[in-house]
């Protein structure tokens, strides 16, 4: 049972990033609790110390992190403060503070110098190796390995790991795999070159960690060697798990076309070879498939498809096909088994390997210069000339004349040396090209590196900044995403009135469902109508100001006539309104939604309007995600692949049933279309560690923790089953399938603190050359301060303080 629980914990660790820990798992024992621990019989890793110096402080930080990791394996990590509780035999002598001990009950399994267990990977790997001492065999010579093979034949397969240096992440990955799969496979560890040579490695000078799978279980004769399959990917936890999964599935059989076959290899990112079997040659075809499966095992999955099933509609001119990760199926004619092996090993797999190596080389060469993806994109396009023909370049002489004309003027303020500016200006040019020839709007730009006076006068302090100028109105700040689609939509919505003043029932219907609605339907189907008893209502002024703040983001109308409103609402079936109110229309055929409108400030109205615009069952996109997350509700999230597929349509309909009855009011039911929002696939993989067959329903963002729950794939995705599953999750009867990844978003490489490096190399260098300045006859020794280039700047005054600032779809 303990093993099974550990497998569950480790699988979650394999495929998800650990969420930020709320509390440390490192325990501190007193004399009494230490003695009690000695009688439990449980495994503990304990450090005894009496004070903290810089070296010990670093070790304690690693010890604290290891407590979180080892807890999943039932091992407690403990510290004892010998200054408070002097424990005999451990809190005295020269070994104090330099040793850590692994206990099982009161028995010391092993002691470690803290130089050996120097970080979390070293602690976890050494502790697990000690715990698994009787299960993981350590061999020095080929003869010792052959004796292990001889014992394993007909009983179990063997996993051999060569770890050149103990205590590194590769060592930890092997030990964690041994803890999980140790009852299934015999694990062997070695660190010498003799075994490497025995396994056929030519370059013995390489310090690379390696792994092999020895197929001993199927070997019946003691004299026969165990066939071996090398793992060709870097030795880490995920790759080991993937590799072992592939060892268990060399051949799969199916009665579906290749594009419909769902095998584990697709989820593991491994190429798949499809072979078609004819009824008259079925035994020969299966033998060929098994041979190829063994030859390509660990690198390619092999699927045998039986043509005698009517579901197989592939043309008879093809007898084979293959599918590379993230690509479509490609069909070909197989002439020989050797030709297929050559196709994969010498061409397709080598092409993938070269592509990965080229990507790695480009990645690391760029990291020598750049810190983020935006800078990288600008660096790659540094030789491209920007065509600013469709954008008016403003100067001090032309700025005021241009922005005070009758047209709407959109102005981009930028710096040429700023990476984000140069990336966004390409999108800005695309918008200008799309709007070229449209009356009433023009796009311009100001280079703040040359015309600093303009940027200072307009109070522009962050870059890039987009302001919209209209005659006789204050400039409006664009707060949308820095991309072509978002800016283009914002400008088109800005061309209309905000709010539209409506004076009759006919105009109201035109705004909600008629000609005026059709004019903006492709930009947004949602319209918000403010209903007031008269234009003298105190809330009208606030609504008009809120509409001005939301110009370009929402379409708002104003209808202020009590008698006409009652006449109009009486004509609409089931509609009852108490003034003042907000009426939301989501398009023809969708029932109107009515919300009471309390007396409030324009900024509060902005928040209210943005909330009522949100869909009750939205499709999540990069653009709208921040608004929905602000609701603070747990997500009931459906991932679909093809919206028009039978499974997806049925899943969407099943969730809408309890939604319409109010049974899901405490959740945010939503869905992601992986075709339109490809990042959804990455989200799903981060949640669960793999991409299961779609559609798939998950629950996340719970207030009780960072767990992610997966709707059981074996249960039909029906309304009653969904409600029962939610009930089970809330009552703690469901186990989480993963954890929400850490929300921190830092740079891909750490910043270099050059001043600190200088201090380490030459401690007195900077002090000796500190500038001396005379101030009023006194020497003022100014301190050298390390100022980062990313200092926080004062934001531009916002016309919409409630809207979240969304940066970059670049």
């Amino acid at each position: 049972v303990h093993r099974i629980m550990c497998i569950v914990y480790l699988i979650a660790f394999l495929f998800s990033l650990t969420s930020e820990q709320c509390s440390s798992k490192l325990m501190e024992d007193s004399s009494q609790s230490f003695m009690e621990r000695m009688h439990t019989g449980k495994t503990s890793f304990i450090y005894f110390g009496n004070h903290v110096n810089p070296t010990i402080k670093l070790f304690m930080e690693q010890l604290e992190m290891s407590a979180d990791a080892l807890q999943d394996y039932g091992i407690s990590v403990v510290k004892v403060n010998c200054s408070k509780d002097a424990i005999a035999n451990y809190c005295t002598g020269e070994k104090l503070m330099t040793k850590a001990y692994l206990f099982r009950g009161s028995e010391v399994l092993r002691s470690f110098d803290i130089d050996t267990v120097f970080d979390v990977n070293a602690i976890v790997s050494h502790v697990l190796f000690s715990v698994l001492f009787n299960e993981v065999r350590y061999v020095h010579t080929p003869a010792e390995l052959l004796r292990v093979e001889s014992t394993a034949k007909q009983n179990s397969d063997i996993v051999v790991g060569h770890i050149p240096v103990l205590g590194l992440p590769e060592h930890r990955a092997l030990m964690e795999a041994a803890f999980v799969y140790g009852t299934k496979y015999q694990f062997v560890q070695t660190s010498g070159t003799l075994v490497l040579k025995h396994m056929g490695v030519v370059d013995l000078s390489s310090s690379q960690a390696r792994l092999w799978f020895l197929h001993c279980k199927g070997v019946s004769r003691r004299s026969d060697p165990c066939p071996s399959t090398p793992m060709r990917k870097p030795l880490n936890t995920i790759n080991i798990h993937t590799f072992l999964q592939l060892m268990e599935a060399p051949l799969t059989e199916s009665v579906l076309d290749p594009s419909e076959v769902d095998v584990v290899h697709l989820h593991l990112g491994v190429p798949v070879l499809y072979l078609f079997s004819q009824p008259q040659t079925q035994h020969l075809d299966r033998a060929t498939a098994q041979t190829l499966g063994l030859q390509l095992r660990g690198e390619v999955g092999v699927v045998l498809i039986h043509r005698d099933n009517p579901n197989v509609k592939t043309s008879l001119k093809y007898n084979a096909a293959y599918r590379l990760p993230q690509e479509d199926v490609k069909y070909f004619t197989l002439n020989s088994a050797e030709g297929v092996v050559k196709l994969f090993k010498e061409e397709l797999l080598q092409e993938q390997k070269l592509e990965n190596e080229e990507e790695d080389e480009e990645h690391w060469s760029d990291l020598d210069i750049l810190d983020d993806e935006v800078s990288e994109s600008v660096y790659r396009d540094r030789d491209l000339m920007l065509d600013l023909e469709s954008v008016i370049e403003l100067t001090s002489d032309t700025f005021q004349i241009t922005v005070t004309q009758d047209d709407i003027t959109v102005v981009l303020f930028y710096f040429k040396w700023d990476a984000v500016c140069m990336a966004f200006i390409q999108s800005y040019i695309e918008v200008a090209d799309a709007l070229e020839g449209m009356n009433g709007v023009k796009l311009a730009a100001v280079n703040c590196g040359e015309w600093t006076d303009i940027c200072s006068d307009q109070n522009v302090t962050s870059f890039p900044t987009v302001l919209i100028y209209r005659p006789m109105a204050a400039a409006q700040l664009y707060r949308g995403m820095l991309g072509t689609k978002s800016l283009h939509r914002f400008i088109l919505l800005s061309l209309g009135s905000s709010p539209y003043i409506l004076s009759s029932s006919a105009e109201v219907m035109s705004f909600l469902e008629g000609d005026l609605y059709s004019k903006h339907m492709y930009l947004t189907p949602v319209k918000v109508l403010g209903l007031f008893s008269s234009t003298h209502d105190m809330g009208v002024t606030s609504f008009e100001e809120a509409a001005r703040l939301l110009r370009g983001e929402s379409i708002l109308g104003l209808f202020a006539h009590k008698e006409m409103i009652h006449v109009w609402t009486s004509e609409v079936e089931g509609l009852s309104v108490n003034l003042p109110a907000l009426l939301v229309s989501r398009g023809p055929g969708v029932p109107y939604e009515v919300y009471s409108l309390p007396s409030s400030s324009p900024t509060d109205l902005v928040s209210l309007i943005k909330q009522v615009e949100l869909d009750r069952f939205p499709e999540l996109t990069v653009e709208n995600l921040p608004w929905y997350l602000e609701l603070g509700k747990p997500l009931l999230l459906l991932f679909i692949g093809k919206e028009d597929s039978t499974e997806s349509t049925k899943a969407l309909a099943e969730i809408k049933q309890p939604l319409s009855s109010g049974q899901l009011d405490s959740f945010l039911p939503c869905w992601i279309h992986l075709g339109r929002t490809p990042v959804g696939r990455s989200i799903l993989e981060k949640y669960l560690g793999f991409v299961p067959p779609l559609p798939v329903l998950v629950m996340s963002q719970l207030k009780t923790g960072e767990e992610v729950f997966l709707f059981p794939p074996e249960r039909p995705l029906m309304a009653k089953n969904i409600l029962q599953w939610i009930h089970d999750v809330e009552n703690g009867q469901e186990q989480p399938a993963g954890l929400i990844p850490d929300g921190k978003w830092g740079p891909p490489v750490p910043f270099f603190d050059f001043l600190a490096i200088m201090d380490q190399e030459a401690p007195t260098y900077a002090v000796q050359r500190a500038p001396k300045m005379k101030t009023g006859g006194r020497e003022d020794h100014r301190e050298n301060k390390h100022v980062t280039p990313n200092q926080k700047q004062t934001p531009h005054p916002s016309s919409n303080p409630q809207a979240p600032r969304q940066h970059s779809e670049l």
Side-chain angles (χ1 to χ4, degrees):
V1 174
H2 181 67
R3 284 278 191 189
I4 296 173
M5 291 302 297
C6 289
I7 290 175
V8 174
Y9 281 121
L10 183 56
I11 295 302
F13 170 79
L14 296 177
F15 295 102
S16 63
L17 301 175
T18 305
S19 62
E20 185 173 351
Q21 300 297 317
C22 298
S23 60
S24 172
K25 304 298 188 301
L26 178 62
M27 293 177 281
E28 182 170 349
D29 268 2
S30 62
S31 298
Q32 180 180 351
S33 57
F34 174 78
M35 296 307 298
E36 291 173 352
R37 186 180 302 279
M38 294 297 98
H39 292 90
T40 62
K42 295 182 179 179
T43 305
S44 305
F45 183 71
I46 305 179
Y47 172 71
F48 302 85
N50 57 10
H51 69 275
V52 176
N53 59 36
T55 301
I56 299 299
K57 181 180 179 182
L58 292 175
F59 172 71
M60 294 302 296
E61 292 174 355
Q62 299 298 317
L63 188 69
E64 185 169 356
M65 288 190 287
S66 71
D68 297 329
L70 289 174
Q71 184 190 44
D72 293 339
Y73 304 102
I75 301 172
S76 302
V77 178
V78 184
K79 63 180 179 180
V80 175
N81 188 343
C82 292
S83 300
K84 297 180 181 178
D85 301 275
I87 297 176
N89 300 327
Y90 300 105
C91 282
T92 57
E94 60 183 19
K95 294 182 179 180
L96 176 64
M97 296 183 61
T98 64
K99 290 278 188 178
Y101 299 83
L102 182 64
F103 289 82
R104 178 172 290 150
S106 59
E107 178 188 3
V108 177
L109 297 180
R110 188 177 174 187
S111 63
F112 303 88
D113 290 320
I114 63 172
D115 291 336
T116 301
V117 286
F118 50 90
D119 69 0
V120 61
N121 292 313
I123 294 172
V124 174
S125 57
H126 282 292
V127 168
L128 290 182
F129 183 67
S130 300
V131 170
L132 300 172
F133 184 78
N134 295 323
E135 298 179 46
V136 178
R137 299 289 301 274
Y138 192 94
V139 300
H140 298 85
T141 65
E144 292 175 347
L145 178 59
L146 290 174
R147 283 197 292 270
V148 176
E149 289 185 31
S150 179
T151 305
K153 287 175 182 177
Q154 293 186 316
N155 294 316
S156 66
D157 296 320
I158 301 175
V159 179
V160 180
H162 176 261
I163 309 296
V165 181
L166 302 182
L168 295 184
E170 294 85 355
H171 188 203
R172 174 181 174 179
L174 180 64
M175 290 301 101
E176 288 177 326
F179 198 94
V180 174
Y181 295 100
T183 55
K184 190 171 187 178
Y185 308 119
Q186 173 63 63
F187 275 74
V188 173
Q189 178 181 317
T190 183
S191 57
T193 58
L194 293 176
V195 175
L196 273 184
K197 189 175 181 178
H198 171 73
M199 298 303 297
V201 176
V202 177
D203 183 11
L204 299 180
S205 63
S206 173
S207 60
Q208 177 184 0
R210 303 172 187 272
L211 192 83
W212 293 268
F213 190 93
L214 305 186
H215 306 273
C216 297
K217 191 173 184 179
V219 179
S220 56
R221 294 171 50 179
R222 295 288 180 181
S223 58
D224 290 344
C226 296
S228 65
T229 302
M231 188 178 83
R232 292 181 169 83
K233 291 186 177 181
L235 201 157
N236 58 47
T237 310
I238 294 177
N239 288 343
I240 294 175
H241 171 77
T242 301
F243 181 70
L244 296 180
Q245 290 282 94
L246 295 175
M247 294 301 98
E248 298 175 2
L251 177 64
T252 305
E253 298 191 29
S254 178
V255 292
L256 299 172
D257 270 328
S259 59
E260 302 295 326
V261 176
D262 187 7
V263 289
V264 66
H265 309 83
L266 296 176
H267 303 298
L268 296 173
V270 176
V272 180
L273 169 67
Y274 305 91
L275 302 175
F276 293 89
S277 170
Q278 301 288 353
Q280 58 271 26
T281 59
Q282 188 175 37
H283 295 293
L284 179 61
D285 294 336
R286 182 177 285 109
T288 302
Q290 289 173 342
T291 301
L292 287 172
L294 293 175
Q295 290 180 305
L296 297 172
R297 182 159 47 187
E299 297 178 272
V300 180
V302 179
V303 179
L304 182 64
I305 297 177
H306 298 280
R307 278 196 183 275
D308 54 354
N309 193 285
N311 292 326
V312 181
K313 299 180 175 58
T314 302
S315 172
L316 292 174
K317 68 179 181 178
Y318 301 114
N319 62 0
Y322 67 87
R323 186 174 187 175
L324 299 180
Q326 309 300 324
E327 294 187 13
D328 295 327
V329 177
K330 295 181 176 61
Y331 296 86
F332 67 100
T333 301
L334 168 66
N335 296 319
S336 66
E338 294 76 14
V340 174
V341 175
K342 182 178 179 181
L343 171 68
F344 276 94
K345 292 202 170 184
E346 298 183 12
E347 296 180 29
L348 298 178
L349 293 175
Q350 289 299 320
E351 287 176 6
Q352 276 193 309
K353 184 178 180 181
L354 289 174
E355 289 175 2
N356 293 334
E357 290 176 352
E358 289 173 1
E359 290 176 1
D360 289 342
E361 290 175 3
E362 291 178 3
H363 173 69
W364 288 110
S365 63
D366 284 343
L367 285 181
D368 289 338
I369 307 169
L370 309 166
D371 290 323
D372 58 65
E373 295 176 0
V374 177
S375 298
E376 181 181 343
S377 67
V378 175
Y379 177 77
R380 293 186 190 280
D381 298 337
R382 62 193 181 280
D383 296 326
L384 299 178
M385 298 298 293
L386 295 175
D387 182 12
L388 294 173
E389 184 178 347
S390 54
V391 177
I392 305 170
E393 296 189 72
L394 300 179
T395 67
S396 296
D397 297 329
T398 60
F399 181 82
Q400 284 298 332
I401 299 173
T402 304
V403 301
T404 54
Q405 292 177 355
D406 292 339
D407 293 340
I408 293 176
T409 307
V410 183
V411 182
L412 167 66
F413 298 86
Y414 70 98
F415 276 123
K416 276 192 174 180
W417 50 260
D418 180 66
V420 178
C421 292
M422 296 311 295
F424 176 57
I425 201 171
Q426 299 183 51
S427 297
Y428 192 74
I429 292 172
E430 292 174 4
V431 175
D433 292 339
L435 296 176
E436 191 173 10
M438 179 176 289
N439 295 327
V441 61
K442 54 180 177 287
L443 272 70
V446 175
N447 182 357
C448 292
E450 296 181 10
W451 307 104
T452 56
D453 55 332
I454 301 177
C455 303
S456 178
D457 292 342
Q458 299 303 308
N459 198 23
V460 176
T461 58
S462 61
F463 304 91
T465 289
V466 176
L467 295 178
I468 291 86
Y469 294 87
R470 298 180 182 84
M472 307 300 293
Q476 182 183 0
L477 176 66
Y478 170 67
R479 289 187 165 271
M481 296 186 69
L482 299 180
T484 306
K485 183 179 177 181
S486 297
L487 180 60
H488 185 246
R489 176 181 177 275
F490 180 87
I491 293 173
L492 292 179
L493 285 176
S494 298
L495 298 179
S497 302
S498 188
Y500 285 94
I501 306 300
L502 310 174
S503 57
S504 67
S505 299
E507 290 182 358
V508 169
M509 293 309 297
S510 175
F511 174 79
L512 296 177
E513 300 181 6
D515 296 338
L516 193 54
Y517 167 83
S518 302
K519 182 180 177 181
H520 303 101
M521 180 177 61
Y522 70 102
L523 297 174
T524 174
V526 181
K527 306 290 186 296
V528 178
L529 181 61
L531 301 173
F532 298 89
S533 57
S534 74
T535 54
H536 301 295
D537 192 312
M538 293 179 60
V540 170
T541 303
S542 294
F543 183 83
E544 290 176 333
E545 178 62 17
R548 186 188 68 79
L549 297 176
L550 289 171
R551 190 168 190 171
E553 300 179 34
S554 306
I555 300 179
L556 287 89
L558 173 62
F559 191 26
H561 197 293
K562 184 175 182 179
E563 288 75 16
M564 289 186 177
I565 290 174
H566 286 316
V567 171
W568 172 68
T569 54
S570 64
E571 297 173 355
V572 180
E573 184 178 352
L575 184 63
S576 176
V577 176
N578 293 320
L579 302 179
L582 286 179
L583 185 142
V584 180
S585 171
R586 304 189 186 277
V590 181
Y592 298 141
E593 301 167 18
V594 178
Y595 301 88
S596 60
L597 190 58
S599 177
S600 54
S601 65
T603 53
D604 291 337
L605 270 180
V606 166
S607 297
L608 176 60
I609 292 170
K610 295 302 292 184
Q611 284 188 17
V612 300
E613 283 182 322
L614 299 177
D615 198 347
R616 293 190 64 196
F617 186 32
E619 176 185 359
L620 293 186
T621 64
V622 176
E623 293 86 353
N624 67 22
L625 179 61
W627 289 108
Y628 287 103
L629 291 183
E630 278 196 348
L631 297 177
K633 291 184 176 182
L635 300 182
L636 194 61
L637 183 52
L638 178 70
F639 293 85
I640 66 172
K642 296 180 180 179
E643 190 177 354
D644 55 352
S645 70
T646 304
E647 294 83 0
S648 298
T649 304
K650 183 179 179 181
L652 290 168
E654 290 294 335
I655 294 179
K656 286 180 181 178
Q657 287 184 29
L659 177 65
S660 59
S661 60
Q663 293 174 282
L664 299 179
D665 286 349
S666 58
F667 294 86
L668 175 61
C670 49
W671 55 287
I672 292 182
H673 189 290
L674 301 191
R676 289 193 290 268
T677 309
V679 72
R681 180 174 292 273
S682 300
I683 294 172
L684 185 55
E685 192 166 2
K686 290 292 184 185
Y687 274 178
L688 305 176
F690 65 101
V691 179
L694 302 177
V696 59
L697 181 66
V698 302
M699 187 190 302
S700 68
Q701 303 284 3
L702 298 174
K703 295 180 180 179
T704 56
E706 302 299 325
E707 299 92 350
V708 177
F709 294 88
L710 172 66
F711 182 83
E714 68 275 6
R715 298 175 64 182
L717 200 57
M718 300 175 62
K720 62 178 182 179
N721 292 340
I722 294 172
L723 292 174
Q724 181 61 47
W725 172 64
I726 292 174
H727 180 268
D728 292 343
V729 170
E730 291 177 331
N731 290 333
Q733 299 174 3
E734 287 282 341
Q735 292 295 323
L739 295 174
I740 296 178
D742 189 349
K744 294 180 180 178
W745 184 20
V749 292
F751 291 111
F752 287 105
D753 187 343
F754 291 105
L755 295 181
I757 295 173
M758 289 170 61
D759 289 340
Q760 291 176 1
E761 297 294 330
T764 61
Y765 181 86
V767 176
Q768 291 173 349
R769 289 158 179 77
K772 297 180 180 181
M773 300 182 182
K774 293 184 180 293
T775 304
R778 297 175 60 190
E779 289 186 346
D780 184 13
H781 296 270
R782 302 298 178 102
E783 295 180 352
N784 290 327
K785 294 185 178 179
H786 183 200
V787 182
T788 64
N790 295 323
Q791 290 178 335
K792 189 173 182 180
Q793 296 172 307
T794 303
H796 189 281
S798 170
S799 58
N800 182 4
Q802 300 296 327
R805 179 63 165 164
Q806 301 178 23
H807 286 285
S808 182
E809 59 189 28
L810 300 173

